[in-house]
Amino acid sequence: MISGTTRLIGHIGFPTESFKSPMIYNPYFEREGIDAVVVPMGCEVPDYPSFLKLFFRLSNALGTLITMPHKVTTLSLVDEASPTAAIAGACNAVRRREDGRLEGDLFDGEGFVRGMRRKGRVIEGTHALVVGAGGVGSAIAASLARAGVARITLFDSHPEAALQLAERLKRHYPALEVEVGVNDPAGCDIVVNATPLGMRAGDPLPVEVARVAPSAFVGEVVMTHEITPFLAAVRARGCAFQVGTDMLFEQIPAYFEFFGLPPTTPEALRAAAQLD
């Protein structure tokens, strides 16, 4: 039930047909009696800067979820951004502070880190390989740095993207050891595929699986199907792994904290979700 006291979370992007958040958040809000609602808002690129500011003029605006194609633009529209957002060069959440200033953050990588920790993995002091230095890869790399990895190796088919990400990481985490241009997983404790490889049949694997240690933790960001060819291959080697949808559900509790909502768990969200 939407009433005059309902707080609005705008899910802003374009187009909106593929948005999943309303089918996760809203059934959960209804079940738990939380007086809030996520509303898809289709906003095209030319209108977005003014629309974001206008949304937060609403007295019942709780915050926004930002998706493509606006994540990068959002960084220049907020008054303050977290180090993670600054490193990744994008924001996917905005809230209005009590002084009226807009604050942005990015939770894609936080979802990845929380998923690892809930599976009992230690991140501090480890060596991570992140293949893909685009939006999601940058977010995961930034969150792994924040979580305490000692060394991170970055690889992208566009070398300049990896170099620029490395520079941003070093700026915020001077003690972090950063290597660029290598996608050899040998010796890595964490291996992340942050590329679209695996979405289509016949895609090459992002790394040479035979060189992934069975003790390594492997992460995937592809969400179109749960067990990609890459995950199937590392599973056969005995690796612990995380599927793409884990990252989605693990980051939502971080959004709740950001927006000042009651804490929740991925299990509670999955139980309420109406994605089918």
Side-chain angles (χ1 to χ4, degrees), residues 222-244:
V222 172
M223 297 190 190
T224 51
H225 45 286
E226 193 160 87
I227 302 299
T228 62
F230 178 49
L231 289 186
V234 298
R235 180 172 63 183
R237 285 190 61 74
C239 297
F241 63 88
Q242 178 164 271
V243 302

Side-chain angles (χ1 to χ4, degrees), residues 182-201:
V182 179
N183 70 337
D184 183 2
C188 294
D189 307 294
I190 303 166
V191 179
V192 184
N193 175 33
T195 76
L197 294 176
M199 294 180 69
R200 297 178 300 274

